[in-house]
Amino acid sequence: MKTLIIAEKPDMGRTIAAVVEPKAANKRTYLEGDRYIITWAIGHLVTLAEPDQYDARYKRWNDQDLPIIPDKFKLWPNARTKDQLKTIGELAKRCGRLVNACDAGREGQLIFHLIRQYLKLPQPTDRLWISDLTPETIRKGFDSLRSDEDYAPLTRAARARSEADWLIGMNASRAFTIRHKALLSVGRVQTPVLALLYDRHKEITAFKSDMYYVVKALFDQNGFQYSGIWQGDRITDKAKAEALAAKTQGKTGIIKDYQTAESKEYPFRLHDLTLLQREANGRYGYSAKKTLDIAQALYEKHKAITYPRTNSNYVTEENLPVMQKVLTMLQGSDSYRELANGADRGRVHKGNKAVCNPSKVEDHHAIMPTPKRPSGLSPEEQNIYDMIVRRFLSQYYPPAVYKNHTVLTEVESEIFRTKAKELLELGWKVVLQDQGQAAKKTSKKKASEKDEAESDEEELLTDKPFAIEPRQGVKCVKSESLEKTTQPPKAYTEGTLLKAMESAGKSMEDDELREAMKDTGLGTPATRAATIERLKQVGYVDLTGKKLEISSKGCAAIELIRGAGVDLLASPEMTGRWEQRLHQISRGEASDDQFILKVKQFAAMIVDKVRQQRPAAPGTFEERENGGKRGAAGSGSKRGSRTSKSSGGSRTSSSRSASSASATATAAPKSATATRTSASPSAREPIAACPRAGCSGQIIEGKRGFGCSAFRDGCTFVIWKEQQGKTISIPMVRSLLEKGATSQLTFKRQDGSSTKAKLVLTDRDKGTVSVQGV
């Protein structure tokens, strides 16, 4: 009998087929050759069932039904991809063996095993564990297949994470929503991240700016000029600062002390996903999700980079020969030939622990280019690929070398300090796109992010010789008093929030927990982007330029969670404990059953605590025209996904039933005072009858979607306003409801060209819309 290979996505399946069965017949949803049948999931084909799929009474959110704790978790097929699930089941009947070729990690393991469990597939299974999709790696992977049983502990950890996120998300979200009469999404990762934004917001709003003065002098020695900052206690008296400036201007001085020291700056580490996302956000303003999507395309579609969902910045000895092949490929490319030819191959070897450190590689090594030369990249794909290539090439160059100068200049018994950093050798910085500017800017020397805004110690970064003679005098040609104000902490950007998520455990007092979170933080590299997107979707966070700003609803959510006596939900500590235990489970050192038992107890405790909490004051979630507060009507997701992540990182858990999504799109705030909304009166008028069979409701417009007025009776129908890159208008909704499709619309392809297509209503029960004709 043949062997059935199940990849995670179609592109991956076709790529694998081209290597192991190059003459396979293309059957559209699978490829079949002499030995192998290759098919694929499309993300999660099977998820944990929603509460109402256990019992219809859970369609309505009632306090007396909580906590919802299944004795055994049910699985449910994704309605949008059930045909592909059926295909896998039929193909499996013709095969005597399976190969799990989903992504090599915890979530890939879960995707495969939920399919296997739901379809009750009994065949023995092998595991393909690879980090890129080049033919050589695929062949090598098939030559060294291991039994999937060897990965059983990882499977148990993946399942435990999914079930635990479901228990917390479902129960906490429902408990807080019911108690406070507003849709409140709560999750294991999402809520601590929201707390980071809340605490930063409070620091900023509570900050009181103080005015102070800095005296800056310009000195001249034989035509060479340099500046210095007066040293002493902070000056808050303007007259005193001006007197100091007047006292020293035009006077002669001496070099009181002059110290030099050489320093080296080594290349930055190879990218993990979080570093890549942070750099792309800072350089191009890309969101974490956008960077992940681009990296996935470079991995799956173009085979140009290795597996991107990694938390490692290092490689193993096995990767070194491949790195040499990548360098050879880059030497033959037009864009990187000069830099690749200047690389020193001898710098990357097993003894270079800054690059090759097997002890710091778990599931996957750092992100690198593959030996395949890409073509047809979009501008955005080229940007991300370029960042990865330049970081890779930098490892083959020597460190940048600097000469650091510290000068103390005395004038009229007053001391001024000068710091200068003179570039001697550019080294690896030759690979930077903007390296020409690297030695021509003045940067502030920061002790930490906290005092960055208050640092007045300028450090001159120069590629010109810094030449002073310590035994000769100087003249203060200019001295001035500069007015300064203390600055509040900076609002988070996606880049700085990713960094905070990555290091969230570092502030913990518990050494064991801090160690457990050292390599994980809040969420994982694969899920942090989804967490940030989730916070935006539920109305907890707004994006203003690059800044992430917590909304009034987000503030209220954290205050209510902390006020209920379940502070652990808003603390990294719970995630630290979970990650610690899940890691132990994945290594076979802890019981997943005991872990889930404790999570069930915690979920029940949350429900009990929230029941005892005083309901939120009227108007807490009122939506005002000035945007000051968000109400339930404006707080929901922009996307109609029924697998929204309660944990802020789970790809399978749902933090709300489908009925709550409709509520989010249509419900007006329940508070008696919440009568002012930004929508016009006509926006609440019925558009058409609900198309769901047996429903007597009407479709009405909410802030983020068009939902059914009968959502409180369990109707799940909603068409979200943001669809496939289009904003849905009322006429378009009417056309979808009455005709099943819109008129022809113009869509942009990935390559920038345009095409005509229609939006089609593909699910009249839920409101799912897809594109037809692209």
Side-chain angles (χ1 to χ4, degrees):
M1 297 181 76
K2 294 181 180 180
T3 295
L4 178 64
I5 300 171
I6 302 176
E8 188 162 323
K9 294 179 182 176
D11 279 349
M12 297 170 66
R14 294 187 184 102
T15 301
I16 290 169
V19 176
V20 300
E21 282 283 9
K23 296 181 180 179
N26 189 345
K27 305 289 187 178
R28 196 174 65 83
T29 55
Y30 65 95
L31 297 105
E32 184 165 357
D34 296 333
R35 297 174 57 203
Y36 296 108
I37 300 175
I38 304 96
T39 190
W40 41 80
I42 308 170
H44 280 276
L45 300 185
V46 178
T47 63
L48 297 182
E50 298 276 348
D52 59 275
Q53 290 157 346
Y54 289 85
D55 192 318
R57 77 176 190 271
Y58 293 142
K59 285 184 179 180
R60 295 180 65 88
W61 290 24
N62 295 312
D63 179 68
Q64 61 265 32
D65 291 330
L66 298 180
I68 304 171
I69 300 180
D71 292 327
K72 185 176 181 181
F73 282 90
K74 286 185 180 181
L75 302 183
W76 205 262
N78 186 326
R80 292 177 297 171
T81 52
K82 59 186 178 183
D83 290 343
Q84 184 63 17
L85 183 64
K86 183 180 177 182
T87 295
I88 293 175
E90 291 170 349
L91 294 173
K93 292 173 184 175
R94 300 199 279 124
C95 297
R97 195 167 194 87
L98 306 177
V99 172
N100 174 3
C102 292
D103 278 356
R106 191 166 73 183
E107 286 305 306
Q109 200 71 4
L110 183 65
I111 286 173
F112 176 87
H113 279 276
L114 290 180
I115 294 170
R116 190 184 188 197
Q117 180 184 343
Y118 183 80
L119 294 175
K120 298 181 173 63
L121 305 181
Q123 294 91 334
T125 302
D126 291 321
R127 183 56 158 118
L128 176 67
W129 193 273
I130 55 177
S131 287
D132 66 61
L133 292 171
T134 56
E136 183 180 15
T137 300
I138 292 169
R139 277 191 288 269
K140 188 175 179 181
F142 272 90
D143 288 341
S144 55
L145 289 174
R146 292 170 59 185
S147 169
D148 194 69
E149 280 301 307
D150 293 346
Y151 298 88
L154 182 64
T155 305
R156 288 194 293 272
R159 197 184 305 276
R161 195 278 309 148
S162 175
E163 292 175 358
D165 278 346
W166 191 100
L167 287 164
I168 298 302
M170 289 296 177
N171 286 290
S173 295
R174 288 190 176 216
F176 279 101
T177 296
I178 292 165
R179 190 62 175 162
H180 302 296
K181 297 182 172 60
L183 185 64
L184 295 174
S185 178
V186 182
R188 172 180 70 96
V189 177
Q190 164 190 312
T191 303
V193 174
L194 183 62
L196 289 175
L197 289 160
Y198 174 88
D199 291 339
R200 177 61 58 88
H201 168 73
K202 286 297 181 184
E203 287 178 31
I204 293 170
T205 54
F207 184 84
K208 292 183 179 178
S209 182
D210 294 321
M211 187 176 293
Y212 65 100
Y213 300 87
V214 170
V215 179
K216 183 178 180 181
L218 179 67
F219 302 106
D220 183 278
Q221 185 187 70
N222 301 324
F224 177 78
Q225 295 189 338
Y226 64 95
S227 61
I229 300 295
W230 178 81
Q231 300 299 291
D233 294 336
R234 175 169 285 181
I235 304 172
T236 56
D237 183 342
K238 182 178 182 181
K240 180 181 177 181
E242 289 177 343
L244 270 170
K247 175 184 177 183
T248 53
Q249 181 158 322
K251 304 296 175 57
T252 59
I254 62 170
I255 306 295
K256 186 76 173 177
D257 187 59
Y258 178 42
Q259 302 289 332
T260 61
E262 194 171 284
S263 65
K264 294 181 179 180
E265 188 176 334
Y266 289 86
F268 300 135
R269 293 173 296 170
L270 291 168
H271 287 111
D272 59 18
L273 178 58
T274 303
L275 272 177
L276 184 67
Q277 289 168 319
R278 284 168 49 194
E279 186 180 346
N281 181 254
R283 182 180 289 271
Y284 299 112
Y286 294 168
S287 70
K289 181 181 183 302
K290 182 171 186 173
T291 299
L292 175 56
D293 290 345
I294 294 169
Q296 281 292 123
L298 289 169
Y299 167 65
E300 293 173 11
K301 178 182 175 183
H302 299 287
K303 287 81 182 174
I305 66 169
T306 58
Y307 184 69
R309 296 171 185 260
T310 177
N311 65 351
S312 179
N313 308 103
Y314 303 92
V315 301
T316 66
E317 292 179 31
E318 293 178 349
N319 304 126
L320 297 177
V322 179
M323 292 178 73
Q324 299 290 0
K325 292 180 181 178
V326 173
L327 187 56
T328 300
M329 179 274 290
L330 293 172
Q331 287 174 331
S333 71
D334 292 336
S335 302
Y336 304 106
R337 180 179 289 111
E338 185 177 347
L339 290 174
N341 285 335
D344 178 0
R345 290 178 182 266
R347 288 191 168 272
V348 175
H349 53 82
K350 67 179 182 180
N352 182 352
K353 294 301 181 185
V355 179
C356 183
N357 195 335
S359 66
K360 295 189 176 183
V361 179
E362 291 190 4
D363 292 345
H364 295 283
H365 57 72
I367 303 171
M368 298 187 299
T370 67
K372 184 179 185 298
R373 187 178 303 162
S375 61
L377 300 184
S378 69
E380 291 174 340
E381 289 170 340
Q382 181 60 48
N383 286 341
I384 298 299
Y385 181 70
D386 184 71
M387 285 166 49
I388 293 168
V389 168
R390 290 177 185 274
R391 182 66 62 93
F392 171 85
L393 285 170
S394 71
Q395 310 306 314
Y396 291 89
Y397 277 82
V401 180
Y402 295 91
K403 186 176 183 181
N404 301 290
H405 305 259
T406 304
V407 186
L408 294 181
T409 306
E410 183 179 0
V411 181
E412 296 293 302
S413 301
E414 303 295 343
I415 301 295
F416 294 81
R417 183 161 68 174
T418 303
K419 282 184 169 287
K421 192 172 185 179
E422 178 187 350
L423 179 66
L424 301 180
E425 297 174 25
L426 195 56
W428 64 271
K429 293 195 171 185
V430 71
V431 309
L432 300 180
Q433 273 185 307
D434 54 356
Q435 59 89 12
Q437 299 299 318
K440 297 180 182 177
K441 62 183 180 181
T442 298
S443 62
K444 289 201 173 181
K445 184 154 180 112
K446 336 171 209 182
S448 67
E449 184 178 339
K450 182 179 179 182
D451 63 15
E452 174 186 350
E454 297 183 20
S455 174
D456 301 305
E457 194 74 66
E458 289 185 346
E459 182 177 71
L460 176 68
L461 185 62
T462 177
D463 57 353
K464 302 290 191 300
F466 186 88
I468 64 170
E469 174 50 59
R471 286 180 289 274
Q472 291 185 12
V474 299
K475 183 175 182 179
C476 179
V477 295
K478 183 179 180 182
S479 187
E480 59 183 334
S481 167
L482 304 175
E483 186 178 284
K484 300 270 189 174
T485 54
T486 56
Q487 298 297 311
K490 291 184 178 179
Y492 282 116
T493 64
E494 289 206 24
T496 57
L497 182 61
L498 285 167
K499 182 179 181 181
M501 291 170 73
E502 189 176 39
S503 60
K506 290 183 179 177
S507 61
M508 291 181 178
E509 294 181 7
D510 187 312
D511 291 339
E512 190 178 359
L513 277 179
R514 189 165 60 248
E515 182 66 21
M517 289 188 71
K518 182 178 65 176
D519 297 321
T520 57
L522 289 171
T524 66
T527 60
R528 287 178 188 134
T531 300
I532 295 172
E533 289 302 305
R534 175 72 179 152
L535 291 173
K536 296 177 194 173
Q537 290 165 3
V538 298
Y540 286 161
V541 172
D542 296 316
L543 188 62
T544 306
K546 282 188 178 183
K547 294 179 182 178
L548 289 171
E549 297 182 345
I550 189 168
S551 68
S552 294
K553 182 184 180 186
C555 289
I558 291 298
E559 288 163 2
L560 289 170
I561 289 165
R562 287 174 170 169
V566 287
D567 303 52
L568 205 58
L569 267 176
S571 164
E573 183 178 345
M574 185 177 75
T575 288
R577 292 189 186 280
W578 280 32
E579 291 299 341
Q580 180 185 44
R581 190 51 50 87
L582 288 168
H583 188 63
Q584 290 169 345
I585 294 168
S586 71
R587 296 167 66 93
E589 299 168 355
S591 165
D592 52 316
D593 289 336
Q594 286 296 314
F595 171 71
I596 290 296
L597 178 62
K598 289 186 181 296
V599 174
K600 288 179 177 179
Q601 293 169 350
F602 183 54
M605 184 270 283
I606 292 170
V607 171
D608 185 57
K609 290 273 191 182
V610 177
R611 279 197 182 114
Q612 299 172 38
Q613 188 177 26
R614 179 180 297 175
T620 298
F621 299 101
E622 178 182 352
E623 182 178 24
R624 303 185 190 277
E625 288 186 9
N626 64 10
K629 293 189 178 183
R630 292 176 173 270
S635 62
S637 168
K638 291 184 180 179
R639 297 166 177 81
S641 169
R642 296 300 186 266
T643 55
S644 298
K645 292 78 175 170
S646 65
S647 67
S650 163
R651 290 200 280 175
T652 59
S653 306
S654 174
S655 65
R656 61 187 185 190
S657 67
S659 62
S660 75
S662 193
T664 301
T666 62
K670 291 187 178 182
S671 165
T673 63
T675 56
R676 291 174 292 163
T677 68
S678 58
S680 63
S682 62
R684 307 295 298 174
E685 293 175 1
I687 296 169
C690 178
R692 188 172 183 180
C695 181
S696 58
Q698 297 287 318
I699 301 302
I700 56 177
E701 182 181 9
K703 178 159 181 146
R704 300 187 186 275
F706 301 90
C708 182
S709 60
F711 68 90
R712 297 190 193 284
D713 298 320
C715 183
T716 63
F717 187 90
V718 58
I719 295 175
W720 298 96
K721 287 186 176 179
E722 298 297 325
Q723 295 276 359
Q724 316 292 338
K726 295 290 182 184
T727 300
I728 306 299
S729 64
I730 290 177
M732 291 165 72
V733 170
R734 279 206 185 92
S735 187
L736 285 165
L737 295 172
E738 295 169 3
K739 302 176 185 177
T742 64
S743 57
Q744 291 278 353
L745 304 170
T746 302
F747 289 86
K748 287 279 188 184
R749 289 195 178 99
Q750 194 171 18
D751 62 6
S753 62
S754 300
T755 185
K756 295 286 187 181
K758 296 181 178 181
L759 290 176
V760 178
L761 183 63
T762 54
D763 189 333
R764 300 184 72 83
D765 284 338
K766 293 184 177 178
T768 305
V769 174
S770 61
V771 179
Q772 187 178 86
V774 175

